[in-house]
Amino acid sequence: MRTTSPATAAAPDTPDAAAADAAQYLTFQLGGEMFAIGILSIKEIIEYGDPTTVPMMPRSVRGVINLRGAVVPVIDLQAHFGGEPAAVAKRTCIVIVEARTGEERQVIGVVVDAVNEVIDIGPADIEPPPAFGARVPADFIQGMGKVRGRLVVLLDLDRALSTDGLAELARLPAGETEPPNAAAPR
């Protein structure tokens, strides 16, 4: 029987212990910027196919897809964040995520320009979201991850894709992308 002495046991402050606290994120490109989503929210990544359009939806809702018998809404994140709808290119794909909406979880597809990689980001490498200057509403940002000398926007999917937020977007007249009170100071 082999035993480990206390002197050879890993101390909690070792790099191995810090790595164990790191969370994994899927990084992706969106409008020339790098974003990340916690992998626990991701169900799968699929090739982009034209969704079926649904009348009276805001421009950020591309439509719906049939995913193994389930109807899944597809959101254009770039348009959802107030930009122009993303152009479909060779590497464009749909990331199928699960977002919490109150007591329920909803499966939603999000269009991204390209998926990059899964990375580990430790708590020490996450800064609070910026108070101003972000292209994405601050409520949608979980934090800013420091990865290889670059900042990555860590999205809070539950807020960014909440049913209330999407329902509010759906009530907008065609062509508008922001709720009337979205530009008001907080």
Side-chain angles (χ1 to χ4, degrees):
M1 180 169 119
R2 184 170 187 233
T3 61
T4 305
S5 71
T8 60
D13 293 333
T14 64
D16 290 338
D21 290 339
Q24 290 190 314
Y25 294 86
L26 175 73
T27 60
F28 58 91
Q29 293 296 125
L30 188 64
E33 293 183 41
M34 189 182 309
F35 290 84
I37 299 172
I39 63 165
L40 296 178
S41 299
I42 297 171
K43 296 183 69 67
E44 64 185 288
I45 300 165
I46 61 174
E47 184 177 323
Y48 185 85
D50 285 328
T52 302
T53 56
V54 178
M56 306 293 291
M57 287 288 114
R59 71 184 188 142
S60 65
V61 178
R62 288 258 175 130
V64 295
I65 59 171
N66 180 344
L67 186 65
R68 290 181 296 285
V71 176
V72 175
V74 176
I75 308 297
D76 183 324
L77 278 183
Q78 195 163 303
H80 185 62
F81 297 153
E84 290 298 314
V88 176
K90 190 178 197 177
R91 295 187 60 204
T92 301
C93 56
I94 299 172
V95 179
I96 306 297
V97 299
E98 193 173 66
R100 182 177 304 281
T101 57
E103 297 290 319
E104 300 176 12
R105 306 230 13 110
Q106 181 171 359
V107 176
I108 299 172
V110 293
V111 177
V112 301
D113 294 341
V115 169
N116 294 336
E117 63 182 327
V118 174
I119 57 172
D120 294 322
I121 303 176
D125 292 325
I126 298 176
E127 297 291 328
F132 62 91
R135 200 172 59 113
V136 177
D139 290 352
F140 297 170
I141 302 175
Q142 175 185 340
M144 302 297 291
K146 295 183 275 186
V147 179
R148 295 186 286 270
R150 186 171 177 193
L151 289 176
V152 177
V153 179
L154 306 177
L155 290 179
D156 182 336
L157 274 186
D158 294 343
R159 287 188 179 175
L161 300 177
S162 72
T163 303
D164 293 340
L166 293 174
E168 190 170 332
L169 284 172
R171 287 193 298 271
L172 293 175
E176 289 186 37
T177 59
E178 292 187 21
N181 61 355
R186 295 174 201 224

